[in-house]
């Protein structure tokens, strides 16, 4: 059986290395146009003696680089003599020269792509373009890097980066690591000084990260277990989203946009079938959600305000929470422990704070603070006894309400 390799290079000081070791019907296509480019492909297929013949290539790799000072690396390993293939594709478009800054931050390449796959029927795609060293930058950018590491079978990773530098040290870094089977990761990134880390372990996990802004975007997604799904959509400067999900059938959606500054959303979900929705816009918003029970639901919406913060902790079965804040200097904290508890907090305008603590089962609390007032405070604590209901509605100035049952 034949190995296939096609290399076409135009320009100076280009290097392409293809090593298909112990291969069976591996295929590699490298095309480089420009100067100082480097491309590496290593494919390994090691079928057992007497194994079935392949009717299609077992490993497929394709690298196409246009521009100067780009690097791409593909390594695929598969020892399964049965059906399936590793598939990898890197396409890079460079306009500029990245160098190692004085502090030693790599990579020195304008665009740097890496794909490592082990198993069968894995698909990995990296597409990068832009201008990492657009004036008035000093040419000391650390470059743009995308990494796909997939171990297992039938995993899919798709990374697209379009970078236009806005500062003197433009970089954009994406790291995707998937272990297990049938995991899906999609990353779309546009801007500079952006970072995405996606780690998925298990079966059937889905991660979708979209970031588009001038700079300073960070998304960290960790999913352990099966059939978990995370969506992170950030279109603003200075935003950070962290999602950590373990268990089965967890769902998290984080949206941060508009003119957000220093918005932070942290979601931690464990056990089964929990859902979290966070939407944040404008300045200094922060939301943290921890759900460690079953069938929990949390919805947090923070917009049009300054220094708003929401903290939620739910455990038990079937707890639900809705927080909507709009205005200035607001804070809401909800702790629900037990089963089938319901909390709704709606806040608007100035200096409002609401705290709800519910334990045991079937407690209901609703707090609404609205109007033209300032300094409103509401606190509800319902402990032990089941079937308690608390409703607080405040409008005006200088109000304070405390309920303990």
């Amino acid at each position: 059986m034949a190995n296939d390799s096609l290399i076409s290079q135009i320009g100076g000081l280009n290097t392409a290395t293809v090593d298909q070791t112990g291969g069976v019907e591996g295929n590699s296509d490298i095309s480089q146009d420009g100067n100082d480019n480097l491309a590496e492909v290593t494919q390994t297929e090691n079928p057992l003696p007497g194994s079935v013949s392949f009717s299609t290539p077992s490993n497929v790799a394709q690298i196409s680089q246009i521009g100067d000072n780009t690097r791409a690396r593909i390594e695929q390993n598969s020892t399964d003599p049965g059906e399936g293939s590793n598939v990898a594709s890197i396409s890079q478009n460079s306009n500029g020269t990245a160098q190692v800054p004085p502090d030693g931050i790599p990579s020195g390449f304008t665009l740097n792509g890496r794909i490592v796959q082990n198993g069968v029927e894995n698909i990995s795609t990296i597409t990068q373009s832009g201008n990492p060293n657009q004036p008035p930058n000093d040419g000391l950018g650390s470059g743009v890097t995308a990494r796909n590491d997939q171990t297992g079978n039938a995993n899919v990773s798709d990374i697209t980066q379009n970078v236009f530098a806005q500062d003197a040290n433009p970089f954009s870094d994406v790291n995707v690591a998937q272990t297990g089977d049938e995991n899906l990761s999609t990353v779309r990134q546009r801007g500079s000084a952006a970072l995405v880390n996606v780690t998925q372990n298990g079966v059937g996990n889905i991660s979708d990260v979209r970031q588009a802004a001038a700079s300073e975007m960070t998304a960290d997604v960790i999913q352990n277990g099966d059939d978990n799904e995370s969506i992170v959509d950030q279109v603003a400067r200075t935003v950070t989203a962290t999602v950590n999900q373990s268990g089965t059938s967890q769902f998290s959606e984080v949206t941060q946009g508009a003119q957000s500054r220093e918005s932070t959303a942290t979601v931690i979900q464990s056990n089964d079938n929990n859902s979290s929705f966070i939407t944040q816009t404008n300045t200094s918003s922060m939301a943290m959600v921890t759900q460690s029970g079953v069938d929990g639901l949390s919805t947090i919406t923070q917009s049009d305000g300054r220094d708003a913060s929401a903290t939620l902790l739910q455990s038990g079965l079937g707890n639900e929470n809705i927080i909507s804040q709009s205005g200035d200097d607001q804070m809401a904290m909800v702790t629900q422990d037990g089963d089938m508890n319901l909390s709704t907090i709606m806040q608007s305008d100035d200096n409002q704070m609401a705290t709800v603590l519910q334990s045991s089962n079937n407690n209901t609390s609703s707090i609404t603070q609205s109007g033209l007032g300032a300094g409103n405070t509401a606190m509800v604590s319902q402990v032990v006894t089941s079937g308690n209901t608390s409703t607080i509605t405040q409008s005006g100035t200088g109000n304070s309400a405390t309920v303990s049952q």
Side-chain angles (χ1 to χ4, degrees):
M1 297 182 182
N3 292 317
D4 242 354
S5 177
L6 175 63
I7 298 177
S8 175
Q9 294 179 326
I10 299 174
L13 301 176
N14 289 317
T15 301
T17 302
V18 176
D19 183 3
Q20 297 174 331
T21 307
V24 176
E25 295 187 287
N27 188 6
S28 175
D29 184 356
I30 297 178
S31 176
Q32 295 180 325
D33 187 352
N35 301 318
D36 300 316
N37 295 313
L38 172 66
E40 301 175 0
V41 175
T42 301
Q43 294 180 328
T44 301
E45 180 67 29
N46 189 19
L48 299 175
S51 61
V52 296
S53 299
F54 292 90
S55 57
T56 58
S58 298
N59 294 316
V60 177
Q62 180 176 338
I63 298 177
S64 176
Q65 297 178 325
I66 298 174
D68 298 337
N69 197 27
T70 62
R71 178 190 179 187
R73 178 200 168 198
I74 298 177
E75 178 179 351
Q76 297 179 325
N77 298 296
S78 176
T79 59
D80 189 349
E83 64 175 323
S85 302
N86 290 318
V87 178
S89 176
I90 296 178
S91 177
Q92 296 182 314
N93 182 4
S94 171
N95 187 1
T97 301
Q99 304 173 12
V100 179
D103 57 6
I105 299 176
S107 61
F109 289 94
T110 303
L111 299 174
N112 191 356
R114 172 192 174 188
I115 297 176
V116 177
Q117 293 181 319
N118 185 3
V120 296
E121 297 185 288
N122 292 313
I123 299 176
S124 181
T125 303
I126 296 176
T127 304
Q128 300 186 130
S129 62
N131 189 348
N133 288 287
Q134 178 182 358
N137 297 319
D138 58 7
L140 296 180
S142 58
V144 179
T145 302
R147 301 178 185 89
N148 286 344
D149 289 347
Q150 297 190 136
T151 302
N153 302 322
N155 294 307
V156 178
S157 176
D158 187 3
I159 297 175
T160 301
Q161 297 194 94
N162 191 345
V163 178
F164 293 91
Q166 300 294 330
D167 52 43
N169 185 23
F171 73 92
S172 184
D173 202 347
V174 175
N175 299 285
V176 177
Q178 297 190 131
T179 302
D181 301 332
E182 299 178 357
N183 295 305
L184 172 62
S185 173
T186 303
V187 178
R188 297 287 183 271
Q189 197 157 253
R190 188 178 189 276
S192 66
L195 175 63
V196 175
N197 294 310
V198 177
T199 302
Q200 298 192 131
N201 301 311
V203 178
N205 295 304
I206 299 174
S207 174
D208 187 0
V209 178
R210 296 183 295 268
Q211 298 192 138
S215 64
E216 301 177 69
M217 300 170 292
T218 302
D220 292 312
V221 178
I222 300 176
Q223 297 192 129
N224 296 309
D226 301 333
D227 299 320
N228 297 306
E229 183 174 358
S230 171
I231 299 174
V232 176
D233 191 350
Q234 301 188 125
V235 187
R237 292 180 59 118
T238 319
V239 291
T240 301
T242 302
V243 178
N244 192 325
Q245 297 189 136
S246 61
T248 304
S249 300
Q250 315 280 13
F251 181 83
S252 172
E253 182 174 359
V254 177
T255 302
Q256 301 187 120
Q259 302 299 321
S260 292
R261 297 279 182 173
E262 300 180 4
S263 293
T264 301
T266 301
V267 178
I268 300 175
Q269 297 190 136
S270 59
N271 219 322
D272 300 327
N273 298 311
N274 294 303
S275 297
S276 173
F277 299 87
I278 297 177
T279 302
Q280 299 190 134
T281 60
N282 287 334
T283 60
S284 302
S285 296
M286 176 182 292
M288 184 180 74
V289 177
T290 301
Q291 297 190 133
S292 58
V294 178
D295 295 326
L297 174 61
S298 173
T299 302
I300 298 175
T301 303
Q302 302 189 124
S303 61
D304 300 328
R306 296 190 304 267
D307 302 321
S309 178
T311 302
L312 170 70
L313 173 64
Q314 290 182 322
S315 60
L317 174 64
N319 293 308
E320 295 186 13
N321 173 73
I322 299 175
I323 297 176
S324 178
Q325 296 181 327
S326 176
D328 300 325
D329 303 323
Q330 309 199 40
M331 166 103 188
M333 183 181 72
V334 176
T335 301
Q336 294 180 327
D337 189 5
D339 300 334
M340 307 304 294
N341 293 308
L342 174 62
S343 173
T344 302
I345 298 177
M346 315 287 288
Q347 292 184 327
S348 180
D349 290 333
D350 302 325
N351 300 320
Q352 308 198 37
M353 177 184 295
T355 302
V356 176
L357 172 64
Q358 294 180 328
S359 297
S360 189
N361 305 325
N362 299 311
N363 292 308
T364 301
S365 174
S366 177
I367 298 177
T368 301
Q369 295 178 331
S370 180
L372 300 176
N376 294 318
T377 301
M379 177 178 178
V380 175
S381 175
Q382 296 176 331
V383 183
V384 181
T385 304
S386 62
N388 293 316
T389 300
S390 174
T391 301
I392 298 176
T393 301
Q394 293 180 330
S395 180
T397 61
N399 295 318
S400 178
T402 301
V403 175
S404 178
Q405 293 177 328

